[in-house]
Amino acid sequence: MKALFVAGTGTDLGKTHVACALLEAARARGMRVDAFKPVVSGFDPEAPDQSDPARLARALGRPEAWREVSPRRYRAPLAPNIAARLEGDTLKMDDLVSDCRDWLSRRDVDLALIEGAGGVMSPMTDTATNLDLMSALGLPVLLVAGSYLGTASHLLTALEVVRARNLVVAAVVVSESLDAPGLDQSMALLRAFEHRAPLLSAPRASCWTASALVDALV
């Protein structure tokens, strides 16, 4: 089984957009896939179909499975630890790591994705970040960046801290940011600085498929 951690250089950059496209492209090749987002905030239980867990579930071909995709769901669109506290809950890194390991141990698929919340250094608990979860799991990282002005600094910083934890960056995907410099321009800039991992682009166009990403990763 190929397992990856999908991380972002920041929040709302397109991690789920990329993860869904990767799952769909892998399924189109006959691969068995699954996805897990251990905690999600900004979840509206009155409109679950609009949530990241629901999007991932649809990409799996199991739209009813969003509860399984994200077992820890909180309403407030805030950092998970704060959103959890508002509902009387306390997130602990040991629990999140245990959730992910247990989920992985029960998968019998060709490709399994675990998607983080927010950016690499976004808080997950009161004392730990996404990077701490990534480090504990030790999975290869699919790092998603935007194409906005300033993305080079954010991406290169994320690459430094991820690799400083001895994590392998399996690929970098630049997800097209709206109202930003051209995607091709951003790609050319980033290719001048990143030479170790495959660097691919993810246009927002509905016709985009992640076939090249499957080739690079699986």
Side-chain angles (χ1 to χ4, degrees):
M1 177 179 72
K2 180 76 171 185
L4 299 166
F5 193 103
V6 183
T9 61
T11 302
D12 292 331
L13 296 178
K15 288 193 305 297
T16 305
H17 170 62
V18 171
C20 288
L22 175 56
L23 292 168
E24 290 167 351
R27 284 181 60 216
R29 297 191 184 186
M31 297 174 64
R32 299 165 300 160
V33 300
D34 213 339
F36 189 61
K37 190 176 177 75
V39 59
V40 61
S41 55
F43 180 86
D44 182 357
E46 304 302 321
D49 288 348
Q50 306 304 313
S51 68
D52 285 350
R55 293 172 62 196
L56 289 166
R58 288 194 293 271
L60 296 173
R62 295 157 41 213
E64 74 291 344
W66 54 266
R67 293 177 184 83
E68 302 167 31
V69 170
S70 288
R72 300 177 188 266
R73 305 179 297 273
Y74 303 102
R75 287 175 177 265
L78 302 169
N81 59 320
I82 298 175
R85 190 180 305 125
L86 291 174
E87 297 186 27
D89 199 0
T90 300
L91 288 177
K92 298 180 180 179
M93 183 53 61
D94 286 348
D95 293 336
L96 296 178
V97 172
S98 179
D99 288 350
C100 292
R101 286 178 175 165
D102 179 64
W103 181 83
L104 283 169
S105 72
R106 293 182 288 106
R107 296 310 99 188
D108 182 20
V109 294
D110 301 305
L111 176 65
L113 302 183
I114 293 180
E115 183 182 320
V120 166
M121 294 300 292
S122 294
M124 292 286 276
T125 73
D126 291 343
T127 59
T129 66
N130 250 315
L131 184 59
D132 293 311
L133 177 60
M134 295 159 62
S135 183
L137 297 175
L139 299 176
V141 177
L142 172 57
L143 187 59
V144 180
S147 64
Y148 54 86
L149 183 64
T151 195
S153 177
H154 296 165
L155 173 58
L156 296 177
T157 300
L159 286 169
E160 287 284 343
V161 299
V162 168
R163 287 169 172 158
R165 294 286 186 97
N166 295 315
L167 293 168
V168 174
V169 179
V172 176
V173 178
V174 181
S175 179
E176 184 177 18
S177 302
L178 302 179
D179 302 320
L183 184 56
D184 290 343
Q185 179 182 348
S186 295
M187 294 298 294
L189 173 64
L190 294 170
R191 285 197 173 102
F193 291 92
E194 173 53 28
H195 306 288
R196 294 166 60 180
L199 184 60
L200 301 99
S201 62
R204 289 285 179 167
S206 59
C207 60
W208 175 68
T209 67
S211 181
L213 188 54
V214 176
D215 292 336
L217 294 173
V218 181

